[in-house]
Amino acid sequence: MVSFFGEVVFPVSRAFWDGDDEGGPSERTGNQLEFSLRWLKEKPVRIETLIVVEGKMLLDFTRECLCQNAEEVCLVEDENKTKVCIIYQINDEVYLCIVSPQLDIKFSGKLVDKMSEILTNSNSTICVTCHHVSQFKCKNIPATPSFLRMLATKSGENVCSLKEPLLEQPNIVHGVAAGVLSYAEFMELPAVLYVLYIDNFVLDSVSAEPLLKLFTAMNCTLRNVSFGGKNFFSKGNLYI
């Protein structure tokens, strides 16, 4: 069970913002950016499983594994028509939401609010995010290049067959993935969040193994692709 991870609390005074936020009236504050949601295909009545992936390190890997032939079916854009989320239809039952790494974390709450109809129309939601292992607060850190921890809503314990240790306190998850899980908990929706902790800043064939195990447990087919030579792997090759 989660405890409302992912809430974004804006400073009560401009004194708490960085100096870059100071300026004329044309500059935006944390509550002013607006998002729009646009379906490129017919909006589904229900979604069986929605996967939300956040974290720059995970995005290209996820696209290669799951999205090679998938269609973009929905976009969430800001006022400048910048894509902050792209939703792909993986198969008849699974939709995948990729969160742009360019999204400012302080707008996570507004983005989750804009996606609320999609979340409530999903029978289950699986969120995936990542952190460097230096952010993992625990006396016993696994002696592996990467590992998973999970959180689930009250009704989300059986959303995915992959069972990992629960994320220990006082660890904190932030961003869109955490906001989605908090929203699901508040609305009593089945959802689970997996956090990949990694001891490097790039994925290689070893550190990607927990993700392969997670994706295999989902109701979707992994693509037969070779990751050798891809720019987002700075060392090692990964073959599926």
Side-chain angles (χ1 to χ4, degrees):
M1 183 178 70
V2 304
S3 180
F4 295 105
F5 284 83
E7 291 182 296
V8 179
V9 180
F10 295 104
V12 295
S13 169
R14 288 183 59 84
F16 289 92
W17 291 112
D18 293 335
D20 291 342
D21 287 331
E22 298 179 359
S26 62
E27 296 186 21
R28 295 191 175 277
T29 61
N31 290 317
Q32 289 180 321
L33 187 65
E34 298 295 334
F35 299 109
S36 61
L37 190 149
R38 177 164 58 95
W39 285 94
L40 307 177
K41 302 288 184 179
E42 184 178 356
K43 182 172 68 174
V45 178
R46 294 290 295 177
I47 294 174
E48 181 61 33
T49 302
L50 175 68
I51 303 170
V52 179
V53 177
E54 181 181 26
K56 185 175 182 180
M57 193 185 308
L58 305 181
L59 300 189
D60 288 337
F61 178 85
T62 301
R63 287 191 179 99
E64 292 287 348
C65 285
L66 302 178
C67 299
Q68 282 192 17
N69 300 316
E71 287 187 288
E72 295 183 6
V73 296
C74 183
L75 300 175
V76 181
E77 300 169 316
D78 65 16
E79 295 167 344
N80 299 317
K81 298 301 180 182
T82 301
K83 298 176 183 178
V84 294
C85 278
I86 301 176
I87 299 179
Y88 299 87
Q89 182 175 4
I90 304 303
N91 55 43
D92 291 341
E93 297 183 344
V94 179
Y95 286 71
L96 171 68
C97 176
I98 297 288
V99 181
S100 170
Q102 305 305 318
L103 176 71
D104 192 323
I105 190 174
K106 67 174 176 276
F107 299 122
S108 298
K110 279 208 164 187
L111 179 57
V112 173
D113 183 62
K114 177 58 65 174
M115 295 175 58
S116 60
E117 183 180 0
I118 297 176
L119 299 175
T120 54
N121 286 340
S122 299
N123 291 337
S124 61
T125 301
I126 302 172
C127 300
V128 188
T129 188
C130 65
H131 292 305
H132 191 267
V133 72
S134 62
Q135 299 182 44
F136 184 63
K137 310 301 180 184
C138 183
K139 292 182 179 179
N140 299 315
I141 300 177
T144 57
S146 62
F147 57 91
L148 289 169
R149 289 294 185 266
M150 64 178 288
L151 291 167
T153 62
K154 292 179 181 178
S155 58
E157 295 181 356
N158 297 317
V159 164
C160 184
S161 61
L162 181 64
K163 305 301 179 185
E164 294 290 342
L166 294 177
L167 183 62
E168 300 92 334
Q169 294 182 352
N171 290 287
I172 296 174
V173 186
H174 56 267
V176 175
V180 168
L181 191 69
S182 293
Y183 179 85
E185 174 75 358
F186 183 76
M187 298 298 293
E188 300 182 346
L189 303 172
V192 62
L193 181 146
Y194 293 91
V195 185
L196 176 73
Y197 286 95
I198 182 171
D199 68 357
N200 209 321
F201 294 98
V202 292
L203 284 170
D204 58 24
S205 57
V206 177
S207 58
E209 287 181 0
L211 285 179
L212 290 175
K213 184 169 64 172
L214 173 58
F215 289 160
T216 301
M218 299 177 185
N219 187 23
C220 47
T221 302
L222 299 184
R223 306 303 175 188
N224 294 320
V225 296
S226 168
F227 287 84
K230 297 288 185 180
N231 290 333
F232 50 88
F233 287 100
S234 66
K235 61 178 182 178
N237 296 323
L238 175 65
Y239 298 95
I240 301 178

